[in-house]
Amino acid sequence: MKYFNSSLWIMLLLSTFSVALNAQEVTQNNQHFFDDFSYRQGNAYRTASGKPGPEYWQNSADYNLEVELDDKKHTVSGNVTIHYTNNSPETLDFIWLYLEQNRFTETSRGTLTTPVQGSRYSGDVEGGYKLTNVQAKTKTGTSSKYMVSDTRMQLFLDKPLAANGGEVTIKMNFNFKVPVEGMDRMGRLDTKEGTVYALAQWYPRVAVFDDVVGWNTEPYLGAGEFYCEYGDFDVKITAPAAQTVVCSGVLQNPKDVLTNTQQKRFSQAEKSDKTVYIIKPDEVGKPIANVKNNGTLTWHFKMENTRDVAWAASKAFIWDAARMDLGNGQTGVAQSVYPKESDGSHAWTRSTEYTKASVEYYSKTYYPYPYHNAINVAANVGGMEYPGVSFCSYKSTGSSLWGVTDHEFGHNWFPMIVGSNERRYPWMDEGLNTFINHYSTEAFNNGEYGTRMEGPRSLLSYLTSETREGIETSPEVANPRNLAYTAYYKPFAGLYLLREYILGHERFDNAFNSYIRHWAYKHPQPNDFFNHIENVAGEDLSYFWKGWFYGNGNIDMGITSVEPYQGNYLITVENNGEIPMPVKLLVTYTDNTTETVLLPVEIWQRGNVWSHLLKTSKLVQRVVLDPDKMLPDVNVLNDTWNKQ
C-alpha cells in the first residue's frame, strides 16, 4: 500500500512537466480487456456478488436401487425408483433422464463420432439398456409414455408437475451388459483370481433442470462428463457370494456380508492411522475370505446428499483400510481394493495411505469431507471419480499412483461438493482440482513426489501453438490433443497466476474458500465463480477472465529502456501481448543491492507502453521483469535490461 501511494504521487508530479512522455498518453489497443464483462450481472437466483440468490432453487432426486450382478453373462439387472421434486417456479410437462449405458451401442452418437482409429473414449458396442415397466406416478395419475433418444429418455407426465414442490415417483426395470472398455470410466478387468467390475453411469438418472438453460440434455458422447442433481441413495447389490462389493456410501449390513474376522479388522482400521488388511493377499480366492462361497449375498449401502454413486465387485480383491482425520473431531475410513497384480509396497499397498493423505489435505484446507468412506478401486480405468469412490489404473505405481489418487479424490470437492456442469465447463472441476493438486503434492510427505506442474511457463509450447484452443472450448468440440490443456493445465495456470502473482495467497484463499462454502451442494456457473472471486478479493479481474479464460491471447511484456532522468531513472516497459498483467521488476544496483518495483495492471489502461520513474541516487546495473519467472511470457528475450 505504501508503494502505490508513492507511485500515485510520482505520476501526478510527472504530469506537471512538459516532457515528451508519449507513453503516458491514452492509445487504442487492448483497453477493451478492461471493459465490463458479461458476468457482471445478478438476479434473484444468482447474485452479482457470486452467491446463490435469495430465490435460488434446484430440483432434487432420491434413488432406491436394487440390482444383481451376473458374473457369467457380465450383466447388471434390477430396478430403480426415483423420487423427484420440482422446486423450480415452473411447471414441468415431462422429465428428462439420462441412459448413459446407451453410449455402448453401434449406433450411438458417441460411437459414430469416435475416430476410426479409436481414442481414449472408445467403448464397447454390445451394450445399452433394456427397459421395462416404465412409469411416472404423480398425485393426479400414472403415465407410461416415454421416448428414448440416444443416451436420453423423455418421460411424459399425465399432467404438468406443479412448481415449487411438485413430486413424481419414477420406476423402471433395467438391464445392461457391462462393457469391457467403458470409455476409460468403467469396465471389466480380467485378473488371475477373477474379473474386476467397475460400475458407473449404471442406472437411469434424472437430468438437471436449472435456471440457466432449463433441461440440460447434451448427449453423452465421451469427453464431456456429468451434471447431476443431489439426493439420497439407498442401494442394494446382489452378487455371487465369493465377490467382495464396495460402493459409495456406508455399508448397512456388515454382519450379513463380512466374516467376523473382517468385521473386527474393519473396526480396527477405523481407529488406526496405519493401513489394516480387511482381506489379506494370501486370503484372496480362499473360503476364509467369504461368509459363504455358494449362492449370492446382498450388500446394502446408503448415501445422503450426493449427486451419484458407483460401485465395484470382484473375488480378486485384496482389501485394506485406515482412519481418516477430517478435522473438527470427525473421522472417516480410507479404503483400497485391488488384485494381486497390483500388490506391492511400490504400488497399491500404499493406495490407502495416498487416499487418506489426499482427503485429509482437502478436508482441512478447503472444506470438510462429507462422506464416511473414500474407496480407491484398482481397475482398467486410467482415473475416474465418483462420490466416495475412485477408479484408478491397476498398473499405476509410485508417483503415478499418488498423482491419480490425489486427483480423483480431489474431485469429491469439484464437482461432487461444488456441483458444476462438467459436460459444458470441464475447467470448473478439472482445472480447479489440478490447481489444488499442485499444493497437495507439495504437502504430501514433505514433497516426496515432485509436483507434475512446474508453473505456467511449462505451457509455453502449447500457448504458442497454432492449433491451441481456449478454455471455453466445449470438451466435445476440442481437439483431443488439446483437452488436457483447455480443461486441466491452462485453468491451473490461470488460478496459479491469480494466487501467486496477481492477488497473493491471503486474498485468493479467502475468495476461493468462500466460493466453495457458498456453492457447496449447489450448481454454480462460470459467471458465479468470476463474480465471487472478484467480490471477496476486492479486485476487478475482467481483463484476466477475458484474456486467459476466454480466448487464445498470450502474455508478452518486456523492458524497452532504462534511462537516466533528472537524477533518477525512467524504466519503460511495453505490452506486446493480448493479456495485460501487473508488472514486477527486480532492480539490481551497482553496489549489488536490489529493489522490487510493482506496477499495477491499470498502467495498461493508458496504452501499451509505460514509463515508471524510479527515484534513487544509486546506479542501476540490471533490471529484470518477472524475476520469479511466474508469467508464461511468450518472449523472454526482452525481459532483462543490463547496463552496457
Side-chain angles (χ1 to χ4, degrees):
M1 185 171 180
K2 181 179 179 181
Y3 168 74
F4 286 113
N5 286 338
S6 61
S7 180
L8 176 61
W9 179 85
I10 292 170
M11 286 189 288
L12 291 172
L13 181 63
L14 284 175
S15 68
T16 66
F17 293 126
S18 58
V19 181
L21 295 180
N22 295 328
Q24 318 302 107
E25 297 298 325
V26 176
T27 58
Q28 288 297 326
N29 41 62
N30 291 322
Q31 286 179 290
H32 65 278
F33 280 104
F34 295 97
D35 296 340
D36 283 343
F37 198 25
S38 62
Y39 64 88
R40 281 203 181 87
Q41 52 188 300
N43 55 45
Y45 304 139
R46 299 167 188 273
T47 68
S49 65
K51 296 179 182 178
E55 297 180 25
Y56 175 83
W57 56 266
Q58 66 188 47
N59 294 346
S60 65
D62 299 327
Y63 295 81
N64 279 276
L65 288 149
E66 296 183 0
V67 295
E68 182 169 0
L69 171 65
D70 185 329
D71 64 350
K72 300 294 190 295
K73 298 180 180 179
H74 303 303
T75 59
V76 170
S77 58
N79 63 80
V80 59
T81 299
I82 307 170
H83 184 78
Y84 182 74
T85 303
N86 176 26
N87 296 313
S88 80
E90 182 178 346
T91 60
L92 302 178
D93 299 318
F94 46 79
I95 307 294
W96 278 103
L97 295 93
Y98 272 110
L99 306 176
E100 283 148 337
Q101 285 299 315
N102 283 354
R103 167 63 174 78
F104 304 108
T105 65
E106 288 186 346
T107 58
S108 74
R109 293 190 185 190
T111 298
L112 296 175
T113 55
T114 299
V116 175
Q117 63 270 30
S119 72
R120 175 186 174 184
Y121 304 109
S122 297
D124 289 1
V125 295
E126 297 179 352
Y129 280 118
K130 296 179 181 177
L131 304 175
T132 58
N133 299 327
V134 179
Q135 67 173 28
K137 185 177 182 180
T138 64
K139 290 182 178 179
T140 59
T142 301
S143 172
S144 297
K145 182 181 179 182
Y146 68 93
M147 177 176 60
V148 174
S149 175
D150 193 50
T151 55
R152 296 138 319 163
M153 166 193 274
Q154 189 175 24
L155 182 56
F156 298 93
L157 306 176
D158 66 315
K159 290 184 180 180
L161 186 63
N164 302 313
E167 299 178 353
V168 58
T169 299
I170 301 167
K171 294 183 177 182
M172 69 186 77
N173 299 331
F174 62 93
N175 173 283
F176 67 91
K177 184 176 182 180
V178 181
V180 175
E181 297 295 334
M183 300 196 323
D184 206 21
R185 294 213 168 96
M186 59 170 297
R188 305 194 324 252
L189 170 66
D190 289 333
T191 72
K192 183 178 179 180
E193 299 293 341
T195 300
V196 174
Y197 294 90
L199 276 301
Q201 295 88 249
W202 58 282
Y203 58 93
R205 60 184 176 192
V206 177
V208 173
F209 182 78
D210 63 25
D211 62 290
V212 181
V213 300
W215 285 108
N216 287 261
T217 57
E218 292 82 4
Y220 180 40
L221 300 179
E225 295 187 10
F226 311 108
Y227 188 31
C228 310
E229 297 286 17
Y230 290 91
D232 298 337
F233 284 73
D234 189 303
V235 182
K236 293 180 180 178
I237 301 166
T238 299
Q243 303 260 359
T244 297
V245 178
V246 294
C247 180
S248 303
V250 176
L251 180 63
Q252 301 296 300
N253 60 334
K255 293 181 179 179
D256 297 333
V257 295
L258 301 181
T259 67
N260 290 333
T261 299
Q262 290 165 357
Q263 293 177 57
K264 291 178 182 178
R265 291 174 180 173
F266 198 89
S267 179
Q268 179 186 353
E270 288 182 307
K271 305 176 183 66
S272 173
D273 289 325
K274 300 294 184 181
T275 301
V276 175
Y277 280 115
I278 311 302
I279 298 177
K280 297 180 179 180
D282 61 2
E283 295 173 345
V284 174
K286 297 179 180 179
I288 192 174
N290 307 105
V291 172
K292 63 179 184 177
N293 288 280
N294 296 312
T296 62
L297 290 173
T298 297
W299 301 65
H300 185 194
F301 301 88
K302 286 186 178 182
M303 197 174 195
E304 297 178 350
N305 197 25
T306 180
R307 53 179 261 164
D308 196 8
V309 291
W311 56 283
S314 182
K315 57 184 179 181
F317 280 151
I318 301 167
W319 186 7
D320 61 39
R323 177 181 63 184
M324 298 184 296
D325 181 3
L326 306 178
N328 298 323
Q330 300 297 311
T331 61
V333 186
Q335 304 172 52
S336 298
V337 289
Y338 49 97
K340 289 182 178 180
E341 288 85 343
S342 304
D343 194 19
S345 58
H346 67 295
W348 276 76
T349 301
R350 293 190 70 184
S351 168
T352 291
E353 175 194 354
Y354 297 158
T355 301
K356 169 182 165 68
S358 178
V359 172
E360 287 180 343
Y361 178 86
Y362 273 77
S363 187
K364 294 176 182 178
T365 308
Y366 299 102
Y367 191 89
Y369 185 69
Y371 315 125
H372 185 68
N373 295 320
I375 307 169
N376 206 10
V377 179
N380 62 335
V381 177
M384 188 60 201
E385 76 283 354
Y386 302 95
V389 170
S390 292
F391 300 152
C392 297
S393 173
Y394 76 103
K395 296 180 180 179
S396 291
T397 62
S399 62
S400 175
L401 181 57
W402 157 258
V404 68
T405 300
D406 183 43
H407 182 79
E408 303 311 336
F409 279 103
H411 276 305
N412 280 277
W413 282 260
F414 310 99
M416 307 309 169
I417 295 174
V418 181
S420 58
N421 185 343
E422 299 175 279
R423 196 157 292 178
R424 283 175 176 256
Y425 312 112
W427 69 265
M428 293 187 72
D429 71 293
E430 300 293 1
L432 272 61
N433 194 32
T434 302
F435 164 72
I436 296 175
N437 292 155
H438 172 79
Y439 299 100
S440 57
T441 297
E442 285 185 335
F444 177 66
N445 275 358
N446 296 316
E448 177 180 353
Y449 300 126
T451 176
R452 293 180 293 176
M453 296 302 298
E454 298 176 357
R457 286 202 174 188
S458 63
L459 301 183
L460 282 175
S461 61
Y462 174 74
L463 295 175
T464 55
S465 168
E466 292 183 357
T467 60
R468 68 187 184 275
E469 296 172 291
I471 291 173
E472 79 279 9
T473 308
S474 164
E476 308 295 1
V477 174
N479 185 309
R481 295 180 181 179
N482 289 344
L483 186 57
Y485 293 95
T486 60
Y488 296 74
Y489 301 141
K490 191 176 180 184
F492 150 77
L495 296 170
Y496 184 85
L497 289 172
L498 280 174
R499 187 175 193 263
E500 302 291 342
Y501 189 85
I502 298 174
L503 294 176
H505 290 191
E506 185 174 9
R507 292 172 72 196
F508 179 88
D509 291 349
N510 285 342
F512 192 67
N513 288 15
S514 179
Y515 167 73
I516 299 173
R517 187 170 63 253
H518 281 95
W519 286 100
Y521 311 107
K522 296 180 177 66
H523 296 315
Q525 300 290 315
N527 288 354
D528 300 315
F529 178 76
F530 300 148
N531 275 332
H532 202 72
I533 296 298
E534 286 200 6
N535 274 268
V536 179
E539 191 76 21
D540 180 354
L541 297 167
S542 58
Y543 71 93
F544 190 67
W545 307 131
K546 284 183 183 180
W548 193 263
F549 284 80
Y550 290 87
N552 274 327
N554 278 313
I555 297 170
D556 181 9
M557 299 189 298
I559 301 172
T560 300
S561 63
V562 178
E563 300 174 339
Y565 178 74
Q566 296 185 354
N568 298 291
Y569 284 90
L570 278 181
I571 302 175
T572 301
V573 291
E574 61 182 355
N575 177 20
N576 295 319
E578 298 85 2
I579 304 177
M581 292 288 284
V583 174
K584 183 176 183 179
L585 300 169
L586 180 65
V587 179
T588 302
Y589 297 103
T590 54
D591 62 0
N592 290 326
T593 60
T594 61
E595 178 180 352
T596 298
V597 175
L598 302 175
L599 300 177
V601 71
E602 285 82 1
I603 62 173
W604 306 122
Q605 291 179 339
R606 314 305 301 171
N608 276 356
V609 179
W610 182 262
S611 292
H612 171 72
L613 178 63
L614 176 67
K615 298 187 67 175
T616 181
S617 60
K618 298 181 179 182
L619 297 177
V620 175
Q621 179 68 40
R622 179 182 175 90
V623 181
V624 178
L625 187 148
D626 185 26
D628 301 319
K629 296 179 172 57
M630 289 277 187
L631 299 176
D633 193 314
V634 296
N635 177 21
V636 298
L637 298 179
N638 59 356
D639 288 354
T640 302
W641 176 91
N642 287 298
K643 180 181 178 182
Q644 300 299 321

